Amino acid sequence: MAESVCRSLRDGVLEGELAPALTIKDSLSSPFGFNVFSHILVQLSSHIVAGKSQSRGMVIVSLSRSPSSYTGLLKMNGVDVESSKKWIHILDCYTDPLGWKDKTRKSGDIMDPSNQILSSYKTVKDVNKLFSVICDLGRGLVGENKSRFCVAIDSLSELLRHSSMQSVASLLSNLRSHDQISSIFGLLHSDLHEERALAAVEYTSSIVASVDPFHHSVDGQGSYIRNSSEPNLTKGKLNIRSKRRNGRVRVTCEEFKVGPSGISFAPVSAVDGAAVAGLIPKVQFNLQLSEKELVDRSRVVLPFEHQGNGKPIQIYDGRRSLEESNNETTPISGGKKEESGRGEIIYFRDSDDEMPDSDEDPDDDLDI
Amino acid sequence: MEHQGLNLMDQALGFHSNVTQQPWPLCGRFVLVEDCVDTSGAFVLHHILKHSFTSRPSSAVIFLAFAHPINHYDRVLRKLGCNLSSQRDNGRFFFLDMLMLQCPVEGKPKHDGLATVFEKIERAISELHPENKKFVTVVIDDISCLEVAANGSSNDVLDFLHYCYTLTSENGYALVALNHQDIYSDGERPAFMLEIEYLADILVKVDPLATGLAKDVHGQVMVLNKETQKQQGISSIKVQNFHFKIKENNIEYFYAGTRT
């Protein structure tokens, strides 16, 4: 549940534990990871502004989106960015991650003093330095005391591209164990990386939210559904796997729909349940009996029960002696053909000891 | 058909929407064209190139050519009814000839091969007439040649594309690039192509006809338009499939099964 994820990020860290960390995974077949990321970003920052969360500030490391898009996003959702109390800082690794633009402009590392919430970072390949810069910025927001801040990294994939898996994993675990950080969350494109890099990132996070396509693509992973029946793709599923401290893992699933106004979540609709029910073959009869049917059934007199009332029971058990069988209407003693035109089976019993044929229906000659 | 601006490709790229009021529909967007050996996707570049010159009086194109010399584009565009030389004289077409570009080998002290290319783009933009700066399109033909120039370092290419991409978000320029999908399709580095696809706002995939060669159909196109809200991310993904036939002076686009 997206709500519960926001809640656990908001509640932050318990003393002596690692900070909760959320990794949002998406893939090209459902590239809505950034929508989930921005949803959580907006939720969390409104909690921070309202003073309802453990963290008092937020540091956004922007690698794949421009910093102005974040301020725009927050303003659009009614979050006060330029409030008197400074609570947000955006570390700009997007505009000039490698310092190329610096060379042409010769502007040096001087920060624009008028811009209070933005600072640029030009050596993305140096992840250790990135860690210390993030911590410094956070400390600048919340002060040196016990209060905490949270960190948002908008593309772990970019980080993984610029530096090794080990250094990114150590950055994440350093952030989690930092004593002033209350929570971290980041976005990862799962199809860009090796399995082990994904696993390393997932190990260092307590919650993994994976954005999956609504329908499973037929043509395998990594490509869009080519001849998709619906030309507009707006829906998807969010699978959330959260780990408790005691090791319990909880997996939940939710549907989402994106639109011009943002992303909206809904519990998995009952369509799935109906589809499962539809798989059971429809039968014309009941497999169970009702109360009344049970009573009626117990009243039925079975054929062999109603025969004995007064008269001799005429069930041929195949072992009668000859004199009784003489009374029967069709004599079975051989040699006497009354009407040759009629077909008839003549049967001689070899002896009285002979058992009836095993494949013959024992009830065949019931006389009811 | 071409002049009405209403063919399928125009619609898929969003050109049909109110021509005069909106800015250039590709503003702030990255169009990635993916083709393969059997079917060249260069015609999509030509289409966009021509459209940017004809639909806007004040637009400029910065063309990074790694694949062909200028004469090639000049001839092709002239057939489509657009004179590149005169546009160049007007200061609306900047041709950066990168055919002989060879980045210094890694390990040398000044390893900034593609950084200098980006510098050239920035310089070209700064030299533009202020009037023409409104609708700038940066065209890269093509990414795999760029990779060759970068000594096969795909990471450098991605860095370079990232920098070009920052131009789209900061200044509202359009970025159009051609890439060859079959080079990256198998095993080794599929992530490179996927990485660019993540960047792209509009993906145009050009393939040969799935059912085999045909005389009247030269290939099929899939246009995947991520309707992005720059703040919110993607709001929906629109997919369109159609066929095309390349003629001498224009290209016909049509839905599958509508031509016999």
Side-chain angles (χ1 to χ4, degrees):
Chain A
M1 304 283 141
E3 277 309 306
S4 68
V5 171
C6 289
R7 221 176 301 132
S8 67
L9 290 179
R10 178 196 71 190
D11 293 344
V13 61
L14 206 70
E15 202 58 52
E17 299 277 352
L18 290 178
L22 163 69
T23 303
I24 302 160
K25 285 197 310 182
D26 73 347
S27 62
L28 268 182
S29 49
S30 183
F32 299 112
F34 186 75
N35 301 61
V36 178
F37 179 84
S38 52
H39 173 78
I40 288 171
L41 183 78
V42 169
Q43 294 287 316
L44 198 55
S45 33
S46 60
H47 284 315
I48 293 173
V49 170
K52 281 193 281 188
S53 72
Q54 188 192 39
S55 54
R56 294 277 163 262
M58 181 189 275
V59 177
I60 301 176
V61 185
S62 72
L63 289 131
S64 65
R65 302 277 162 159
S66 66
S68 58
S69 75
Y70 287 109
T71 49
L73 170 74
L74 291 173
K75 273 178 198 158
M76 203 172 77
N77 286 282
V79 181
D80 189 8
V81 179
E82 279 130 357
S83 62
S84 52
K85 192 175 164 293
K86 205 177 134 194
W87 63 274
I88 189 171
H89 202 110
I90 303 174
L91 183 61
D92 180 10
C93 303
Y94 168 80
T95 318
D96 194 8
L98 302 168
W100 287 7
K101 289 182 185 172
D102 246 10
K103 281 174 194 152
T104 48
R105 284 169 201 167
K106 303 276 184 279
S107 60
D109 246 343
I110 310 150
M111 266 169 50
D112 184 5
S114 66
N115 209 336
Q116 292 284 315
I117 60 166
L118 189 69
S119 55
S120 57
Y121 185 74
K122 290 166 199 279
T123 47
V124 170
K125 291 192 195 287
D126 189 353
V127 176
N128 292 331
K129 192 182 159 200
L130 184 66
F131 172 65
S132 55
V133 170
I134 292 173
C135 294
D136 289 346
L137 289 177
R139 229 172 271 135
L141 286 178
V142 299
E144 283 287 350
N145 49 13
K146 275 275 176 191
S147 53
R148 296 170 186 268
F149 61 95
C150 61
V151 181
I153 303 171
D154 73 356
S155 179
L156 291 168
S157 298
E158 283 282 309
L159 274 185
L160 279 169
R161 185 165 72 77
H162 285 297
S163 55
S164 68
M165 183 188 90
Q166 285 85 354
S167 51
V168 174
S170 84
L171 169 78
L172 288 177
S173 61
N174 284 343
L175 286 175
R176 282 191 77 187
S177 50
H178 191 275
D179 57 358
Q180 276 199 294
I181 288 178
S182 84
S183 58
I184 62 177
F185 60 104
L187 175 60
L188 182 74
H189 299 309
S190 60
D191 42 4
L192 296 181
H193 308 286
E194 296 171 52
E195 207 59 37
R196 61 193 202 109
L198 290 179
V201 174
E202 287 183 27
Y203 269 118
T204 52
S205 45
S206 54
I207 311 170
V208 177
S210 123
V211 179
D212 293 325
F214 196 67
H215 305 287
H216 282 284
S217 62
V218 189
D219 58 347
Q221 53 155 13
S223 60
Y224 301 96
I225 306 163
R226 228 200 128 94
N227 292 316
S228 92
S229 51
E230 46 184 341
N232 279 8
L233 187 60
T234 55
K235 281 185 185 173
K237 269 187 199 162
L238 188 68
N239 289 306
I240 297 167
R241 193 178 65 214
S242 51
K243 276 187 225 164
R244 297 272 190 79
R245 267 188 300 280
N246 58 9
R248 205 186 127 202
V249 178
R250 189 158 155 255
V251 180
T252 52
C253 181
E254 233 180 347
E255 280 177 17
F256 66 83
K257 187 173 190 309
V258 294
S261 55
I263 187 167
S264 58
F265 294 92
V268 175
S269 59
V271 179
D272 271 9
V276 170
L279 290 178
I280 299 171
K282 289 193 179 76
V283 288
Q284 305 266 332
F285 47 89
N286 289 329
L287 292 172
Q288 266 86 34
L289 294 175
S290 70
E291 198 71 23
K292 183 179 175 292
E293 285 167 331
L294 276 175
V295 173
D296 288 349
R297 188 181 150 185
S298 66
R299 286 209 200 104
V300 173
V301 182
L302 292 175
F304 55 85
E305 287 176 314
H306 71 77
Q307 286 217 355
N309 38 7
K311 302 166 196 168
I313 301 170
Q314 296 194 350
I315 297 174
Y316 176 61
D317 67 352
R319 263 177 276 189
R320 298 265 170 86
S321 54
L322 253 173
E323 67 267 13
E324 279 176 66
S325 64
N326 282 339
N327 301 335
E328 291 174 12
T329 46
T330 42
I332 52 170
S333 50
K336 203 170 101 188
K337 286 180 187 169
E338 292 165 339
E339 296 168 46
S340 56
R342 238 169 65 188
E344 131 183 71
I345 298 169
I346 301 162
Y347 172 65
F348 295 98
R349 185 195 288 274
D350 284 349
S351 75
D352 274 350
D353 301 337
E354 192 199 35
M355 296 292 287
D357 278 346
S358 58
D359 56 351
E360 131 190 333
D361 186 4
D363 294 335
D364 208 4
D365 41 10
L366 265 184
D367 181 22
I368 302 170
Chain B
M1 196 175 181
E2 192 87 347
H3 291 288
Q4 291 161 6
L6 273 174
N7 65 34
L8 288 175
M9 181 61 94
D10 287 341
Q11 283 178 32
L13 292 175
F15 288 155
H16 64 294
S17 63
N18 212 337
V19 182
T20 43
Q21 283 185 0
Q22 300 250 314
W24 165 233
L26 296 182
C27 265
R29 314 201 84 191
F30 173 22
V31 183
L32 176 68
V33 184
E34 284 184 351
D35 68 354
C36 48
V37 178
D38 296 330
T39 312
S40 164
F43 70 90
V44 184
L45 287 195
H46 304 147
H47 183 95
I48 295 173
L49 205 57
K50 187 203 162 194
H51 208 279
S52 78
F53 283 128
T54 51
S55 69
R56 307 282 146 171
S58 58
S59 63
V61 173
I62 313 247
F63 201 102
L64 270 80
F66 293 90
H68 299 286
I70 185 166
N71 292 338
H72 167 82
Y73 301 105
D74 193 23
R75 277 187 204 119
V76 175
L77 265 291
R78 195 167 295 168
K79 282 274 185 192
L80 298 179
C82 173
N83 193 338
L84 279 189
S85 326
S86 70
Q87 300 289 3
R88 185 159 68 160
D89 297 338
N90 290 342
R92 290 177 62 193
F93 182 65
F94 266 82
F95 191 83
L96 300 177
D97 192 336
M98 299 286 168
L99 286 174
M100 303 309 283
L101 179 81
Q102 187 62 49
C103 292
V105 183
E106 200 160 352
K108 281 191 177 173
K110 263 185 81 86
H111 172 63
D112 54 354
L114 291 179
T116 51
V117 178
F118 182 71
E119 212 176 296
K120 276 184 192 164
I121 297 176
E122 281 207 311
R123 202 179 307 136
I125 290 173
S126 65
E127 284 168 13
L128 283 176
H129 190 270
E131 184 66 15
N132 291 343
K133 263 189 192 174
K134 280 187 225 158
F135 313 118
V136 181
T137 309
V138 180
V139 184
I140 301 173
D141 185 17
D142 58 72
I143 291 175
S144 46
C145 291
L146 174 71
E147 197 192 358
V148 173
N151 292 315
S153 160
S154 53
N155 231 351
D156 285 355
V157 175
L158 288 174
D159 289 338
F160 177 75
L161 286 175
H162 175 88
Y163 270 95
C164 292
Y165 189 73
T166 60
L167 291 177
T168 68
S169 69
E170 281 178 3
N171 309 319
Y173 299 161
L175 176 64
V176 182
L178 176 68
N179 196 16
H180 302 311
Q181 55 180 327
D182 32 15
I183 300 179
Y184 308 100
S185 56
D186 60 315
E188 221 177 296
R189 293 167 308 156
F192 175 65
M193 204 170 75
L194 296 182
E195 195 113 26
I196 306 174
E197 285 184 16
Y198 268 112
L199 270 184
D201 296 306
I202 301 175
L203 175 69
V204 183
K205 270 194 177 202
V206 181
D207 286 311
L209 201 60
T211 48
L213 287 179
K215 196 177 151 201
D216 294 323
V217 184
H218 291 163
Q220 59 187 28
V221 187
M222 179 187 67
V223 181
L224 193 140
N225 199 333
K226 296 181 198 167
E227 303 263 301
T228 47
Q229 246 84 38
K230 278 290 169 191
Q231 267 98 38
Q232 289 276 7
I234 301 160
S235 68
S236 75
I237 297 176
K238 282 186 182 154
V239 186
Q240 289 199 46
N241 290 292
F242 46 87
H243 291 170
F244 66 88
K245 182 184 184 182
I246 300 177
K247 290 181 161 179
E248 191 62 29
N249 296 324
N250 69 341
I251 297 135
E252 277 182 16
Y253 303 98
F254 47 90
Y255 286 118
T258 54
R259 294 292 152 95
T260 48

